[in-house]
Amino acid sequence: MAFPQEPLGTRVEFQIGGTWTDVTEHALLRDIIRHTRGRSGEGQAVDPASCALTLRSPDGLYNPRNPGSPYYGLIGKNTPMKLSVAAGGQRLWLPEGQVVARAETPSATALNISGSIDVRIDIQLRRQPGQVVELCGKYLLTGNQRSWAMLINADEKLAFRRSVDGTNVVEYVSSAAIPFPLSGRIALRSTWNAADGVYTHYTAPSMAGPWTQLGTASATGSTTGTFASTAPVQVGDIQILGFQPPDGAIHAFQLRSGIGGTAVADVDFTAQTAGATGFTDTTGRVWTLLNGAEISSRRTVFVGEYSDWPLKADRAGRLVTVEGEGAGILRRLNQGKKALQSTLRRRIPTATGLVAYWPMEEGANATSVYSPIEGVQPFTPRAFDFAADDTLGGSAPLPVLQPNASFMAQVPAMAEGSWQVELVYRLDQMPAAETTMLELRTTGTARRIQVRIVAGPQLVLEGFDANSVSVFAVLTVPSVFTGAWNRLQIHATQSGGNVTYRVRYLVIDGSGFSVSHTMAAVPGRVVDVRSSFGPGLEGMGIGHLSVFSGDSTAYNFADHGFNRETAGARLTRLGTEEGLPIRVIGAAADTAEMGPQRPGTLLELLDECEAADGGVLVEDRERPGLVYRTRTSLYNQQPKLVLSYGQRGLAEAEPIDDDSNLRNDVTVQRDGGSTGRAELTEGRLSVEDPPVGVGRYDDSTTLNLYSDSQTEPMANWLLHLGTVDEARYPVITLLLHRAPELIPTVLDLVEGDLIRLTDLPAWMPPGPVDLIVQGLSEEIGVRTWAVSLVCAPGSPWRVAVADDSTLAVAGTEWSTLAAGVTASATTLSVATASGPLWVFETAFDIRVGGEVMTVTGISGASSPQTFTVTRSVNGISKAHASGAAVELVIPAHVAL
């Protein structure tokens, strides 16, 4: 392909007044546009993405403080900015959030298929878990013109809807989730068989197949034909259906009459002319693009915020410029210093039915307890030792009761009916004498309700009428009432003329118990919550008192700070809570289990997730947001880009052999828990002093992990990453203006992808070399486009896979040549000093003195064994002396 030029080349846009505005005509493209993102070096923290840009500012057009500019008041600090290039193949592009952006062809007799139907679509969309996403359909709500529609449901399963009368709809959802690849591109297919009414779903790498059934087919169903509607066939957002519009690219679409039958609509969007607004497909269907949908090869390179507007002018004042820089969202997140509040403090105020709430997270010198809920008055307790207990995962420090402690919290007026009062507490042991723990006052039949601990010990819930006469009393033996943080709930649930009064206690992150009493009564409303805590309760921690209208589950999971939540799930939840789009690449369920989420800045909490799992958290280059690449998604990748050392466009790929990332003694501390340690005690990179090893390179880190059992495996994994015994290639520079054929692949690279260097010259370490992309910097000009990929070794991410012909081969330690060999010998005598002998099941590669050989057979039941080998696999051919080490080229490392 040719190097892209304007108008199909570089485009610079600002979001001015809420609309993306093309400002390319004012961008000085003769000056290089410099863009960076990701890590600037192996082991470094991710830096905010940046994009330096110079703009001509005629008549002060881009002066935010120029009232004569049409952009006055519309640009300024943190103006959204986008840099894109037109490169790579065309496809149907559907802009983010653009409702009813679609390709459409009018209804026709051939498109109303009465028999078996086969719908196929090739997509590359942003995944939107939790949302129902529209894909395509002949489906119009207006006038009940429903035929069929294909959707991705909220669980990322494929759904196919069909109507036999235009009004009523049957939907069949795949039993398995769609296996989205890391690239995001996948072809989806749904069929309905008129002979037996069975629906079946399929997936494929592209429209070319091969197709793999997705889950199980439906049971035999209706064989009545699909309704012949007047609706057009729409690809993209389906008109007025109301679900989430698709965000990204669609490569192709087919509608077939019969399963595998004749195509009645067949459009390859990649074959259309960029910029076309209409075209005819191979079946003669005329397609029109609507509402922002476009045929485009354009790829977004950078999205950020243009925050600096420094003005310059030449001496004559004829050329006024703005030499500013856009920055990714991490810049703004880095500036935030305010810690997010505890998970309980964040969750409870958003709960439905909340009437009153007092967190009790005040500082040590506080004298009163405030409420974050408008209209709820603070209260002044007695003998509360504030901020004395910091052991509840879902809370900031809470008060501890001193002798003769008491409080009274007034509840604002609320509707009469069912209610719930809840708080958290920690009581180490039961009091010896009868003690009142909590008391409520209401306007109901039970005007005063007490929770008491009495001899036994037993927990009593008792209600008294306006004359202080007991109207009910229930008791239980509280077996798990003490020794841990618990939640105490008191409920009054109305059902007709009856009320069920219930006391319930739950061990946080554990079991619980409840006891109740039902009687003819009215619940009224809660007037206040109070207690004069009796003897034996001093030392009890208490907090997060709330009153709800009706029942609430607001405390669930937030009470323990989402303890044992996976890193991927926490990233997604935090993004949702903070309105920050965070896309997870890989399976969130396979990420590390974490400990409680304690107060911290948003970026600190996100960094905790990245560190606990060991993946890569970077900025999204296509929208303001973040992308997390899970650790497991980095394992055993196929190279996204293969580069021959001598090929056109490869400008820099020089090896460095240093100790900058060497760590052979690693300690991992669990936050609030124990430690695990791993050290390399033998070999070239061991802690032994030279010349046996390299000496000690120690490191330690504290991680927010769920269990102490995670620390030692993580320490061993970090040791594995820190003792890679090979040269590093910190930067790979590509000149895309000299090798435009590389542009589509390079544009699709994301941090964490694997690239491979092959055909290395004789003066370099033997290849091939696998590298993990950590970040990049690029320089874009009118006729210049250079991309420098920041890389780390990829070999440690090659991990063992059971029953794999290559990745399941396990070597044996301390094997050496029992006798020297010539450069042409095809058999080796291999001695194993300790451990099991070598076993041959399939061919595998070994390395001896830098030469790679393929083992094609092994004989001998004792050491030394005889290896039959193919020599010089990596181009190295030489003699080897007795005692030379024999090791696997691809050892079966166990993944974390």
Side-chain angles (χ1 to χ4, degrees):
M1 63 174 288
F3 185 68
Q5 300 295 328
E6 283 295 336
L8 299 178
T10 307
R11 180 188 294 171
V12 181
E13 298 171 85
F14 284 164
Q15 195 174 86
I16 300 175
T19 301
W20 284 108
T21 303
D22 189 344
V23 300
T24 308
E25 65 173 315
H26 296 129
L28 292 180
L29 298 179
R30 69 168 185 260
D31 295 342
I32 298 297
I33 297 176
R34 291 179 173 84
H35 162 234
T36 64
R37 74 169 190 267
R39 293 189 170 113
S40 58
E42 181 184 352
Q44 302 297 313
V46 173
D47 295 321
S50 65
C51 184
L53 174 70
T54 301
L55 291 168
R56 287 187 300 108
S57 183
D59 300 321
L61 179 64
Y62 297 105
N63 182 348
R65 300 190 182 280
N66 176 16
S69 168
Y71 299 152
Y72 180 69
L74 302 177
I75 60 174
K77 292 181 177 62
N78 297 336
T79 297
M81 169 192 171
K82 182 190 299 183
L83 175 67
S84 63
V85 293
Q90 289 85 255
R91 70 270 199 255
L92 176 63
W93 178 249
L94 304 171
E96 176 188 359
Q98 187 66 49
V99 178
V100 297
R102 63 183 184 270
E104 176 179 298
T105 188
S107 181
T109 301
L111 297 176
N112 282 317
I113 301 169
S114 60
S116 299
I117 190 170
D118 187 338
V119 182
R120 309 177 185 191
I121 190 167
D122 186 346
I123 63 173
Q124 191 169 12
L125 305 178
R126 284 181 183 277
R127 292 171 63 182
Q128 299 168 285
Q131 301 282 348
V132 178
V133 179
E134 303 167 14
L135 297 177
C136 56
K138 193 174 191 296
Y139 198 96
L140 189 60
L141 302 185
T142 303
N144 292 324
Q145 295 298 304
R146 303 169 180 85
S147 292
W148 57 267
M150 181 186 282
L151 313 164
I152 298 174
N153 79 355
D155 296 324
E156 296 197 310
K157 295 180 179 180
L158 185 57
F160 189 72
R161 292 183 171 188
R162 195 177 68 89
S163 177
V164 300
D165 58 7
T167 301
N168 299 300
V169 173
V170 173
E171 178 176 283
Y172 180 66
V173 178
S174 62
S175 60
I178 299 169
F180 287 101
L182 294 178
S183 67
R185 181 170 179 178
I186 193 168
L188 304 173
R189 177 185 178 195
S190 296
T191 65
W192 173 74
N193 192 332
D196 54 14
V198 170
Y199 298 85
T200 312
H201 299 299
Y202 303 86
T203 66
S206 69
M207 200 69 90
W211 295 98
T212 301
Q213 186 169 317
L214 179 61
T216 58
S218 74
T220 300
S222 170
T223 58
T224 305
T226 305
F227 178 69
S229 73
T230 59
V233 172
Q234 298 175 335
V235 177
D237 192 35
I238 301 171
Q239 186 177 3
I240 72 170
L241 185 53
F243 295 121
Q244 192 72 12
D247 174 16
I250 298 179
H251 296 272
F253 166 79
Q254 287 183 356
L255 174 61
R256 293 175 177 263
S257 178
I259 299 175
T262 302
V264 295
D266 186 358
V267 55
D268 181 358
F269 295 111
T270 68
Q272 309 308 318
T273 302
T277 58
F279 46 83
T280 302
D281 72 13
T282 57
T283 67
R285 303 289 161 217
V286 176
W287 291 85
T288 303
L289 304 188
L290 301 169
N291 305 308
E294 61 178 329
I295 301 296
S296 174
S297 62
R298 185 159 298 282
R299 303 305 200 267
T300 299
V301 173
F302 168 82
V303 168
E305 297 169 336
Y306 202 78
S307 58
D308 302 322
W309 301 81
L311 298 171
K312 289 188 177 182
D314 61 12
R315 289 179 178 271
R318 287 190 294 267
L319 178 61
V320 181
T321 61
V322 175
E323 297 181 7
E325 182 176 87
I329 198 167
L330 280 177
R331 179 193 61 82
R332 185 150 45 87
L333 293 178
N334 270 317
Q335 292 176 343
K337 301 302 180 184
K338 182 179 179 180
L340 299 187
Q341 294 164 315
S342 70
T343 51
L344 279 170
R345 171 63 181 80
R346 286 161 57 81
R347 177 62 62 85
I348 293 173
T350 66
T352 301
L354 182 67
V355 177
Y357 172 49
W358 297 270
M360 303 193 202
E361 294 181 338
E362 277 72 17
N365 296 322
T367 58
S368 61
V369 175
Y370 95 107
S371 173
I373 309 303
E374 186 177 356
V376 178
Q377 297 300 312
F379 66 83
T380 301
R382 184 177 66 178
F384 273 38
D385 184 7
F386 284 101
D389 193 321
D390 190 26
T391 59
L392 178 58
S395 178
L398 292 172
V400 170
L401 303 182
Q402 301 301 301
N404 301 313
S406 64
F407 81 98
M408 193 277 286
Q410 290 186 324
V411 178
M414 57 184 287
E416 296 195 346
S418 299
W419 48 259
Q420 172 183 311
V421 175
E422 187 164 7
L423 56 78
V424 298
Y425 73 93
R426 181 186 178 102
L427 179 63
D428 289 333
Q429 60 183 13
M430 298 296 282
E434 181 172 338
T435 301
T436 297
M437 185 175 179
L438 199 68
E439 183 171 293
L440 318 179
R441 295 178 185 266
T442 81
T443 61
T445 303
R447 293 297 179 92
R448 188 163 51 91
I449 301 173
Q450 289 183 341
V451 176
R452 301 194 311 276
I453 300 171
V454 300
Q458 294 177 324
L459 187 70
V460 175
L461 178 71
E462 186 168 10
F464 301 88
D465 64 15
N467 298 315
S468 296
V469 176
S470 176
V471 293
F472 74 87
V474 290
L475 57 84
T476 181
V477 178
S479 58
V480 291
F481 196 73
T482 59
W485 276 104
N486 284 14
R487 285 159 49 192
L488 180 70
Q489 296 176 343
I490 304 172
H491 300 258
T493 304
Q494 185 174 19
S495 178
N498 292 331
V499 174
T500 298
Y501 294 96
R502 182 172 77 250
V503 62
R504 185 183 187 200
Y505 56 92
L506 304 94
V507 179
I508 290 177
D509 204 12
S511 58
F513 190 80
S514 67
V515 62
S516 63
H517 176 78
T518 301
M519 58 183 285
V522 293
R525 62 179 180 86
V526 179
V527 175
D528 63 51
V529 183
R530 63 176 68 191
S531 183
S532 296
F533 297 101
L537 294 182
E538 51 276 330
M540 183 175 77
I542 189 173
H544 298 282
L545 172 64
S546 62
V547 179
F548 295 92
S549 176
D551 289 345
S552 176
T553 58
Y555 288 64
N556 290 0
F557 307 111
D559 52 7
H560 54 65
F562 297 94
N563 195 30
R564 207 172 186 176
E565 183 178 39
T566 66
R570 182 164 297 181
L571 284 163
T572 300
R573 177 178 56 78
L574 283 168
T576 301
E577 290 175 353
E578 294 300 307
L580 174 66
I582 299 180
R583 182 164 54 103
V584 175
I585 299 178
D590 293 338
T591 54
E593 293 179 333
M594 299 188 64
Q597 176 188 310
R598 305 309 293 267
T601 68
L602 176 60
L603 194 55
E604 287 171 345
L605 296 177
L606 299 178
D607 287 343
E608 277 188 357
C609 298
E610 178 188 32
D613 184 56
V616 182
L617 180 67
V618 295
E619 289 173 311
D620 194 327
R621 70 182 179 192
E622 294 184 342
R623 63 175 173 176
L626 302 177
V627 175
Y628 180 66
R629 186 79 177 264
T630 68
R631 170 178 37 81
T632 57
S633 76
L634 304 176
Y635 294 159
N636 299 333
Q637 298 181 70
Q638 292 300 310
K640 184 73 71 69
L641 174 67
V642 178
L643 299 166
S644 173
Y645 186 80
Q647 79 176 67
R648 181 177 65 165
L650 180 59
E652 180 183 355
E654 309 304 331
I656 294 177
D657 218 329
D658 63 12
D659 63 354
S660 61
N661 293 290
L662 177 58
R663 302 291 184 271
N664 56 18
D665 181 358
V666 180
T667 299
V668 172
Q669 167 86 44
R670 182 173 75 90
D671 190 10
S674 67
T675 62
R677 183 182 179 189
E679 59 178 338
L680 189 64
T681 57
E682 298 173 315
R684 291 186 292 266
L685 297 183
S686 71
V687 297
E688 295 294 324
D689 290 331
V692 177
V694 293
R696 191 172 301 277
Y697 288 74
D698 58 359
D699 194 13
S700 65
T701 185
T702 299
L703 302 177
N704 185 9
L705 301 172
Y706 166 69
S707 167
D708 287 342
S709 64
Q710 295 171 267
T711 58
E712 187 173 339
M714 177 57 84
N716 277 284
W717 178 252
L718 295 177
L719 177 73
H720 171 60
L721 296 180
T723 51
V724 180
D725 192 7
E726 62 186 57
R728 299 186 302 111
Y729 292 77
V731 177
I732 303 296
T733 299
L734 303 172
L735 304 180
L736 298 183
H737 55 280
R738 294 184 180 176
E741 68 276 5
L742 297 177
I743 291 175
T745 304
V746 172
L747 282 173
D748 284 340
L749 285 176
V750 296
E751 291 87 342
D753 277 345
L754 183 77
I755 65 173
R756 179 170 292 163
L757 285 179
T758 64
D759 305 314
L760 299 180
W763 62 268
M764 294 179 70
V769 174
D770 284 351
L771 302 169
I772 294 286
V773 177
Q774 303 273 292
L776 65 80
S777 62
E778 59 185 330
E779 298 180 345
I780 303 175
V782 175
R783 298 184 181 274
T784 303
W785 191 355
V787 176
S788 294
L789 303 174
V790 178
C791 298
S795 60
W797 298 94
R798 195 166 45 223
V799 299
V801 176
D803 301 324
D804 186 279
S805 60
T806 300
L807 298 173
V809 178
T812 183
E813 293 185 352
W814 316 124
S815 293
T816 58
L817 291 181
V821 296
T822 66
S824 59
T826 57
T827 60
L828 311 177
S829 181
V830 178
T832 301
S834 63
L837 297 177
W838 292 80
V839 176
F840 182 83
E841 293 182 351
T842 185
F844 59 91
D845 289 342
I846 59 172
R847 182 181 287 110
V848 182
E851 179 184 351
V852 176
M853 313 174 191
T854 299
V855 178
T856 58
I858 298 176
S859 61
S862 62
S863 179
Q865 296 172 283
T866 300
F867 284 31
T868 302
V869 296
T870 300
R871 300 290 297 274
S872 190
V873 173
N874 63 341
I876 304 298
S877 178
K878 63 181 184 180
H880 301 282
S882 175
V886 177
E887 57 190 7
L888 281 169
V889 172
I890 306 177
H893 293 297
V894 177
L896 176 63

